[in-house]
Amino acid sequence: MPSDPFQMVMIHRGFRTEFSNIASLVRAVEPGDATRRKIVGHYLENMILVLHHHHAAEDEMLFSALSARLPDSDTPLDSAGRDHADIERIFERATALRLSWQRGGDAGEAEDLGRALDDLSGVAGEHFDREEREVVPLIGEHLTEAEWQAFIDRGGAYVNPANVWFALAYAGLVLRDATPEERVRFSASLPLPLRIVLNTLGRHAYASYQKKLYGHVG
């Protein structure tokens, strides 16, 4: 049975919003506020980790399978793969700048990191547009439900004992901007134990991160 990769747009939507928001958070941190730098820097570190695993899952679980089934070698997958390489280079630059900013935190370092995140938002946003337009239809046509689920599972490999609370908050932000129909479908796609955990703790985790980062629940 063909897959229904509706979650891709939801995931991309969360990335679009948060990387733009984080750039503003970085620029707003007072130079002497080490505690605030740690909070914002840790959130950025986790968001980069999520996007890195999302792209690794695409490379390993989606693009390889699609390439084997598409006879034309000149496919949208080639452009998507190049986008991933470009984004990884921005990751490396942003990570180095983040570490320097967290250690020192002067206004120049904050602005350098903010510009790197602006670059990331721009490049990633164009990539998401192209992927949703050109690659997602191929996933729906050529991959099975089991293969799509394997991709979702691989994308979740970023979760570890140290960031479980963040993972619940991240699920909350993905659902925050979803339509009612998307929320219902997303919940139904989860295994029952994970659905119970998300329904029980996800909203609280999301709210706690929003208050810590923005001072209110958005």
Side-chain angles (χ1 to χ4, degrees):
M1 180 179 294
S3 62
D4 179 13
F6 73 93
Q7 298 101 320
M8 188 73 87
V9 172
M10 298 175 66
I11 294 167
H12 287 174
R13 191 184 294 140
F15 288 139
R16 292 176 197 274
T17 301
E18 287 309 296
F19 279 111
S20 177
N21 287 347
I22 296 170
S24 298
L25 289 174
V26 167
R27 290 184 168 107
V29 175
E30 294 294 332
D33 194 341
T35 299
R36 183 67 178 167
R37 289 199 307 272
K38 182 177 180 180
I39 290 170
V40 174
H42 184 61
Y43 187 64
L44 172 57
E45 179 183 14
N46 272 313
M47 285 301 302
I48 286 177
L49 185 65
V50 178
L51 184 50
H52 168 77
H53 276 278
H54 175 71
H55 283 169
E58 288 180 339
D59 292 337
E60 296 168 13
M61 312 299 294
L62 299 184
F63 295 173
S64 57
L66 286 172
S67 294
R69 294 170 201 179
L70 295 172
D72 187 353
S73 60
D74 184 18
T75 70
L77 305 178
D78 300 323
S79 295
R82 288 192 293 270
D83 288 348
H84 286 185
D86 291 341
I87 291 169
E88 283 294 324
R89 284 190 286 271
I90 301 175
F91 281 170
E92 292 174 4
R93 177 159 56 96
T95 296
L97 290 168
R98 175 185 64 78
L99 292 170
S100 178
W101 172 67
Q102 284 189 255
R103 287 192 298 267
D106 66 41
E109 290 172 325
E111 183 55 33
D112 288 344
L113 178 54
R115 282 197 296 267
L117 294 174
D118 290 340
D119 290 344
L120 177 59
S121 292
V123 173
E126 291 176 3
H127 166 66
F128 297 150
D129 288 343
R130 185 160 47 246
E131 197 168 71
E132 290 167 17
R133 185 175 61 249
E134 299 176 353
V135 178
V136 171
L138 297 176
I139 295 170
E141 182 178 355
H142 294 282
L143 298 189
T144 66
E145 288 183 359
E147 288 169 323
W148 175 251
Q149 187 58 51
F151 158 74
I152 293 293
D153 294 343
R154 170 62 183 85
Y158 74 89
V159 182
N160 61 64
N163 70 4
V164 169
W165 198 242
F166 163 81
L168 288 168
Y170 171 73
L173 77 86
V174 168
L175 291 169
R176 175 190 61 197
D177 299 325
T179 67
E181 180 188 2
E182 286 173 335
R183 292 191 187 101
V184 170
R185 295 177 72 194
F186 183 87
S187 179
S189 72
L190 299 174
L192 181 59
L194 184 55
R195 192 185 316 163
I196 292 171
V197 170
L198 185 58
N199 289 338
T200 304
L201 298 175
R203 186 173 299 178
H204 182 50
Y206 168 75
S208 71
Y209 259 87
Q210 291 291 297
K211 288 179 180 178
K212 183 165 58 174
L213 289 165
Y214 303 106
H216 59 87
V217 179

